[in-house]
């Protein structure tokens, strides 16, 4: 196990400042304030750190887009709206080491010239929000948040904000709409948030895991961070593993780790049945078959070559007991439920996909349904304000591509083959 | 039904407003205060919130109706939310939904006749590795078995 992010995650009472400090929390601040903000941005650029929320955009470059001369306040917004099915890695950091997040927020805010940071928690994360509020209060009392931090002349306020149950608020512009007190509707880009974001001011939105990597980079330098990972995918990444796996959980590994050894050594393999498919980066990314995933390494480039995305690192392990049509119908239900309804192709497309998949699974499909689904995917992908519709279009295309015969079997047999026990029941049906 | 904040909650409002440069941004925190007090958000409460935020009541209503966690009617004392998203179903969410239905006597989306329980099924709660799971009010209950569910429901006041 490599420890950039999770070094202290097993320490008892780590959310208490006193304990956290004994384990090195806030040790990066001396180094931080000894350097100019622009040097910190350069250091993060050197590190090669990429956004860990799903998109993988280079963090240092994003920070460098913030204009410093507008006269408007600059905001840092931390995305703790973790809601992508299969993803529970931010929650792990929030529960185990909230002071690491605060330390990262101080560094990131200092670098981009922000004096106000908001952390947007998904509404269901009540206990995590409470824990963070408590950690902030302790840090404030110790002079780590507020006016003139550690006597270095730098001011920063950190506010925790709770969402109220909407997956779309994890999309950065929807998150900003929500934080401003509106419905969580995504906005057209450009303008990008770095130029015009929260309250129409320059804003950087970063994922919890991204921010938690920053203290290490400040302490050890960008080159120190690059010791982990590959040339283009540097550093470590958290993978949250769930589904039909022996040891589900959150694991930190250097990017570039082969899936095969990760799955065997960390996760203990499947529950005993043969592996059928793996979704490596949260429910929105294309699924891979067992054969495809076994030759892949866990980094952004290898994922793309394999035909998928590293996404959030929410890894869903699926064994051969699962019906591909039912799995896709389940995923479609999620997207139909969570579409914000702003764009027609998404609002209608996700709902229709679900209806078609439900009837296919129930054995009431029509011969044209598979091509209809693919047509729907084409009408959703790339035609909306945000990438939510793509997040269903990609699974539709990939599940059909990988498991087409199963879809055809549902049409031929007029039932779900997985729900038939014996040959006799096929004959009688 | 007339709505007003309790004295303690009213006293929290200035601190909430101080966090944001606009009044409107205090919308979600203030709606949470309402729900914490009442268990749900009535139209009268929305009007009170609208006045505090200097907005039309409709501007508050459209926000309340967008977010699934804001209740527009009173629910039971314990709101049980069972995750039946894809990942939880891989680890047995189906029996959990059935089991909780049977134990509470509620169908999904209903409140028990004694008002103690309200049952919902929900999408991913970021607890996929510890599935099957449910949330009751503010707490997560994970890696559930029938025995655990029995004990959890028994221990609820």
């Amino acid at each position: 196990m490599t420890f950039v992010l999770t070094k202290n995650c097993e320490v008892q009472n780590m959310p208490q400042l006193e304990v956290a400090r004994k384990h090195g929390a806030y040790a990066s601040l001396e180094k931080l304030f000894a350097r100019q903000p622009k040097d910190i941005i350069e250091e993060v650029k050197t590190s090669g750190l990429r956004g860990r929320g799903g998109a993988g955009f280079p963090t240092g470059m994003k920070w460098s887009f913030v204009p410093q001369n507008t006269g408007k306040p600059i905001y840092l917004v931390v995305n703790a709206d973790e809601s992508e099915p299969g993803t529970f890695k931010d929650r792990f950091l929030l529960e185990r080491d909230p002071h690491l997040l605060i330390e990262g927020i101080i560094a990131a805010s200092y670098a981009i010239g922000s004096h106000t940071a908001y952390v947007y928690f998904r509404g269901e994360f009540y206990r995590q929000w409470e824990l963070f509020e408590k950690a902030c209060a302790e840090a404030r009392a110790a002079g780590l948040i507020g006016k003139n931090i550690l006597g270095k002349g730098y001011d920063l306020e950190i506010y925790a904000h709770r969402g109220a149950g909407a997956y779309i608020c994890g999309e950065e512009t929807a998150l900003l709409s929500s934080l401003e007190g509106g419905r969580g509707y995504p906005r057209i880009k450009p303008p990008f948030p770095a130029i015009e974001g929260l309250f129409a001011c320059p804003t950087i939105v970063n994922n919890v895991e991204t921010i938690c990597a920053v203290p290490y980079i400040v302490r050890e330098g960008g080159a120190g961070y690059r010791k982990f990972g590959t040339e283009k995918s540097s550093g470590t990444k958290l993978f949250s593993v769930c589904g039909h796996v022996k040891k589900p959980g959150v694991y930190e590994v250097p990017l570039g780790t082969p899936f095969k050894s990760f799955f065997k050594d960390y996760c203990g393999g499947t529950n005993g049945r043969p592996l059928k498919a793996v979704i490596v980066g949260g429910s929105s990314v294309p699924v891979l078959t067992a054969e495809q995933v076994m030759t892949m390494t866990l980094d952004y480039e290898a994922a793309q070559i394999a035909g998928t995305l590293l996404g959030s690192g929410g890894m869903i392990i699926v064994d051969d007991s699962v019906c591909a049509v039912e799995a896709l119908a389940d995923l479609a239900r999620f997207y139909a439920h969570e579409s914000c309804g702003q764009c027609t192709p998404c609002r209608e497309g996700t709902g229709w996909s679900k209806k078609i998949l439900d009837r296919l699974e129930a054995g009431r499909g029509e011969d044209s349904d598979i091509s209809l689904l693919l047509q729907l995917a084409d009408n959703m992908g790339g035609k909306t304000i945000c990438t939510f519709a793509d997040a269903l279009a990609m699974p539709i295309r990939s599940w059909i591509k990988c498991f087409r015969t199963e879809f055809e079997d549902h049409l031929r047999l007029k039932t779900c083959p997985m729900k038939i026990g014996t040959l006799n029941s096929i004959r009688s049906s | 039904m007339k709505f007003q904040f309790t004295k303690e909650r009213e006293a929290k409002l200035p601190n909430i407003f101080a966090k944001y440069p606009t009044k409107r941004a205090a919308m979600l925190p203030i709606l949470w205060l309402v729900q914490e007090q009442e268990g749900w958000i009535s139209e009268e409460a929305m009007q009170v919130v609208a006045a505090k935020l200097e907005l039309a009541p409709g501007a508050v209503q459209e926000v309340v109706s967008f977010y699934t966690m804001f209740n527009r009617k009173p629910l039971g004392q314990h709101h049980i939310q069972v995750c039946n998203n894809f990942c939880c179903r891989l680890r047995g969410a189906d029996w959990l939904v059935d089991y909780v239905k049977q134990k509470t006597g509620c169908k999904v989306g209903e409140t028990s006749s004694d008002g103690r329980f309200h049952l919902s099924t929900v999408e991913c709660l970021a607890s996929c590795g510890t599935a099957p799971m449910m949330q009751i009010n503010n707490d997560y209950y994970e890696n559930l078995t029938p025995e655990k569910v029995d004990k959890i429901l028994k221990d609820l006041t």
Side-chain angles (χ1 to χ4, degrees), chain A residues 35-300:
Chain A
R35 304 184 64 181
Q36 290 299 312
K38 63 177 187 346
D39 298 335
I40 300 296
I41 295 181
E42 282 310 310
E43 207 64 73
V44 174
K45 274 189 184 169
T46 306
S47 77
L49 175 65
R50 294 167 66 168
R52 301 294 193 224
F57 192 81
T59 306
M61 196 190 293
K62 198 187 218 183
W63 290 4
S64 69
F65 292 155
V66 173
Q68 295 291 341
N69 53 2
T70 61
K72 292 179 184 174
I74 295 165
Y75 294 108
L76 176 75
V77 175
V78 180
N79 187 343
D81 190 60
E82 183 168 57
S83 311
E84 170 91 355
T87 314
F88 46 99
K89 48 139 190 132
D90 294 335
R91 179 184 163 203
F92 186 82
L93 292 170
L94 293 168
E95 289 175 358
R96 308 290 184 105
D97 199 355
H99 285 290
L100 180 64
L101 179 61
I102 298 174
E103 189 177 351
I105 290 171
I106 298 169
S109 302
Y110 177 74
I112 63 170
S114 168
H115 299 286
T116 310
Y118 294 99
V119 183
Y120 187 102
F121 287 81
R122 67 176 295 178
E124 292 88 347
F125 278 179
Y126 182 85
R127 296 295 173 205
Q128 293 80 355
W129 166 76
E130 212 176 36
L131 191 68
F132 184 77
E133 288 272 46
K134 222 170 131 193
C136 278
E138 275 198 284
R140 188 181 305 275
L144 296 158
I145 301 175
K147 296 265 176 228
N148 194 15
I149 294 173
L150 298 178
K152 305 288 184 186
Y154 174 67
D155 305 341
L156 176 66
E157 286 302 330
I158 302 177
Y159 300 121
H161 187 95
R162 274 181 82 204
Y167 167 80
I168 194 60
C169 291
E171 197 280 335
E172 62 173 2
T173 60
L175 189 155
L176 298 177
S177 301
S178 175
L179 191 46
E180 288 172 5
R183 293 184 148 214
Y185 280 157
R187 304 170 182 175
I188 291 171
K189 295 191 265 194
F192 287 92
I195 311 298
E196 199 179 307
L198 188 63
F199 308 118
C201 297
T203 304
I204 289 296
V205 186
N206 279 146
N207 176 258
V208 168
E209 185 187 345
T210 314
I211 292 292
C212 285
V214 175
Y216 187 92
I217 295 168
V218 173
R219 232 171 34 235
E220 310 292 332
Y225 186 74
R226 286 202 86 95
K227 282 191 299 197
F228 305 106
T230 68
E231 173 65 26
K232 286 185 174 164
S233 297
S234 63
T236 67
K237 166 101 193 78
L238 298 184
F239 288 91
S240 58
V241 188
C242 70
H244 296 137
V245 56
K246 200 162 279 167
K247 292 190 280 182
V250 177
Y251 302 101
E252 181 181 8
V253 290
L255 286 164
T257 302
F259 172 83
K260 198 173 176 179
S261 60
F262 170 74
F263 188 52
K264 185 167 153 278
D265 301 342
Y266 288 84
C267 313
T270 62
N271 273 334
R273 297 185 65 111
L275 183 66
K276 173 172 184 162
V278 176
I279 301 172
V280 296
S283 65
S284 306
V285 310
V287 66
L288 297 176
T289 62
E291 297 79 53
Q292 287 172 324
V293 77
M294 280 303 167
T295 56
M296 172 187 159
T297 53
L298 297 172
D299 55 85
Y300 295 100

Side-chain angles (χ1 to χ4, degrees), chain A residues 364-396:
Chain A
R364 296 193 311 270
E366 289 163 27
D367 288 344
S368 57
D369 277 353
I370 299 175
S371 59
L372 186 57
L373 279 168
L374 292 170
Q375 199 186 330
L376 267 172
D378 284 342
N379 283 332
M380 285 194 283
K383 295 190 172 59
T384 49
I385 292 175
C386 78
T387 57
F388 181 93
D390 299 77
L392 178 58
M394 288 190 286
I396 288 175

Side-chain angles (χ1 to χ4, degrees), chain B residues 96-110:
Chain B
L96 180 62
V97 176
D98 289 342
Y99 194 72
V100 177
K101 267 193 214 167
Q102 182 200 323
K103 282 279 156 183
T104 58
C106 300
K107 287 189 190 140
V108 174
E110 283 185 358

Side-chain angles (χ1 to χ4, degrees), chain A residues 75 82-88 91 95 116 118 120 122-128 133 159-166 168-169 174 177-185 199 241-246 248-249 271 279 283 316-318 322 326-328 330-331 333-334 337-338 340 399, chain B residues 15-29 31-33 36 53 55 58-70 72 81 83-92 94 121-131 133 135-143:
Chain A
Y75 294 108
E82 183 168 57
S83 311
E84 170 91 355
T87 314
F88 46 99
R91 179 184 163 203
E95 289 175 358
T116 310
Y118 294 99
Y120 187 102
R122 67 176 295 178
E124 292 88 347
F125 278 179
Y126 182 85
R127 296 295 173 205
Q128 293 80 355
E133 288 272 46
Y159 300 121
H161 187 95
R162 274 181 82 204
I168 194 60
C169 291
S177 301
S178 175
L179 191 46
E180 288 172 5
R183 293 184 148 214
Y185 280 157
F199 308 118
V241 188
C242 70
H244 296 137
V245 56
K246 200 162 279 167
N271 273 334
I279 301 172
S283 65
I316 309 170
I317 309 296
V318 180
V322 172
E326 191 181 356
L328 185 55
D330 253 1
L331 293 173
R333 187 193 64 201
F334 172 77
H337 182 263
E338 295 294 342
C340 82
W399 281 91
Chain B
N15 278 336
I16 293 176
F17 282 120
K19 294 179 184 177
Y20 310 96
T22 67
K23 286 210 153 167
R24 189 193 168 103
M27 176 91 77
L28 264 57
L31 288 172
W32 274 123
L33 272 191
E36 182 188 281
L53 299 176
L55 292 170
V60 176
Q61 200 166 6
E62 70 159 35
V63 170
V64 173
S65 66
F66 183 82
Y67 295 93
T68 54
M69 291 181 77
F70 289 139
R72 280 176 289 162
Q81 306 184 72
C83 176
N84 73 339
N85 181 261
F86 177 55
C87 306
C88 270
R89 287 199 64 212
L90 292 178
R91 297 182 75 86
D94 287 357
T121 53
V122 291
E123 298 292 350
C124 192
L125 294 177
S127 190
C128 321
T130 45
M133 63 83 64
Q135 179 167 17
I136 304 180
N137 298 340
N138 291 328
D139 291 297
Y140 279 23
Y141 298 89
E142 303 167 72
N143 287 316

Side-chain angles (χ1 to χ4, degrees), chain A residues 312-375:
Chain A
S312 61
M315 201 179 275
I316 309 170
I317 309 296
V318 180
D319 74 19
D320 71 343
S321 66
V322 172
C323 162
V325 178
E326 191 181 356
L328 185 55
D330 253 1
L331 293 173
R333 187 193 64 201
F334 172 77
Y335 291 95
H337 182 263
E338 295 294 342
S339 173
C340 82
Q342 206 180 187
C343 309
T344 312
C346 176
R347 183 182 64 240
E348 301 300 318
T350 52
W352 275 108
S353 302
K354 180 196 168 290
K355 272 187 199 164
I356 295 166
L357 284 159
D358 280 348
R359 77 177 178 225
L360 256 176
E361 172 62 9
R364 296 193 311 270
E366 289 163 27
D367 288 344
S368 57
D369 277 353
I370 299 175
S371 59
L372 186 57
L373 279 168
L374 292 170
Q375 199 186 330

